[in-house]
Amino acid sequence: MFAPAAFAETDPDMIAAVIGRARLGLLVTHGPGGLIATHLPFVFDRERNVLVAHLARANPQPGASGDGEALAVFAGADGYVSPDFYPSKAEHGRQVPTWNYEAAHVHGRLSWFDDRARLLDLLERLTDLHEAGRPTPWRVTDAPADYLERLLAGIVGVELAITRVEATRRLSQPKSLPDRLGVIAGLAASDDPRDRMMAELMREREETVR
């Protein structure tokens, strides 16, 4: 990942937050036929420093990738930044469009598993994570036992033992305070919830750096 010093993120809590906001990751591996990628919801086990997910057993990625090195890509909040957001544009015009975003690239070693107990634990953790906050959260045990067994037979688990993490949060850091506040106002006024999320993240950062 190309991450200039002004945007590089090294705080473990913030990196975990970026991964959590992304929700869906992209697992990229390399096999005899070249690169393979699958979009997956991951569980980030910070205590063990691993990412865990599952794929359909019919997916060719496990057989083609083996236990080699892999990359999990997480794209968090993002927002288009118009030059019109900057008050300084009216002064000198030296502003161009750009994009604010956050992302994490997680490198590690793969291992695959089909142990029923581990797969069931993974499904329960994924379910609890994404059902949290719902009025009546769905539980894995809500599904009929025979149906659940068929589903478990159709998936394979993957664990990525993390060796290195690169993260970036491009939040208009090099800009002046008036211009940063202009970007926050511009994104907050957008009809797109992704823009408003970026505005909120920028606002939170401003509160911590002051």
Side-chain angles (χ1 to χ4, degrees):
M1 171 188 286
F2 174 63
F7 307 127
E9 182 58 68
T10 59
D11 180 75
D13 291 337
M14 190 58 67
I15 292 172
V18 171
I19 291 173
R21 280 191 289 270
R23 301 198 300 178
L24 195 68
L26 179 66
L27 180 66
V28 183
T29 61
H30 195 280
L35 292 172
I36 311 172
T38 303
H39 293 269
L40 300 169
F42 284 89
V43 169
F44 180 21
D45 188 330
R46 293 186 65 182
E47 183 176 344
R48 296 180 54 230
N49 200 35
V50 298
L51 290 168
V52 193
H54 67 83
L55 297 76
R57 192 169 291 276
N59 190 315
Q61 191 167 18
S65 307
D67 295 334
E69 185 180 12
L71 171 67
V73 178
F74 297 90
D78 69 272
Y80 170 73
V81 179
S82 169
D84 287 338
F85 293 166
Y86 303 122
S88 63
K89 172 180 172 285
E91 300 172 12
H92 51 64
R94 295 190 298 273
Q95 298 292 357
V96 295
T98 189
W99 210 280
N100 278 1
Y101 65 92
E102 56 178 12
H105 289 188
V106 182
H107 301 255
R109 298 287 301 184
L110 289 170
S111 61
W112 307 91
F113 60 93
D114 56 10
D115 176 78
R116 180 192 178 281
R118 286 185 69 185
L119 288 172
L120 182 59
D121 177 69
L122 170 60
L123 292 183
E124 290 174 343
R125 294 174 70 182
L126 277 169
T127 299
D128 291 346
L129 176 65
H130 296 293
E131 288 283 329
R134 294 180 59 81
T136 55
W138 184 86
R139 306 296 183 193
V140 170
T141 51
D142 291 344
D146 59 338
Y147 175 69
L148 182 59
E149 289 302 321
R150 290 198 300 273
L151 291 181
L152 287 169
I155 62 176
V156 59
V158 58
E159 183 172 283
L160 184 69
I162 299 171
T163 57
R164 177 166 54 100
V165 179
E166 301 168 305
T168 186
R169 301 184 76 223
R170 185 185 180 105
L171 306 179
S172 300
Q173 290 94 325
K175 298 297 184 180
S176 67
L177 177 59
D179 280 349
R180 296 198 306 272
L181 295 178
V183 173
I184 292 172
L187 292 173
S190 172
D191 292 333
D192 193 319
R194 295 169 296 183
D195 292 338
R196 297 196 298 272
M197 170 63 78
M198 174 53 67
E200 182 59 30
L201 294 176
M202 291 183 65
R203 188 177 292 112
E204 290 175 0
R205 180 184 179 277
E206 289 300 327
E207 293 173 355
T208 62
V209 298
R210 291 181 187 175

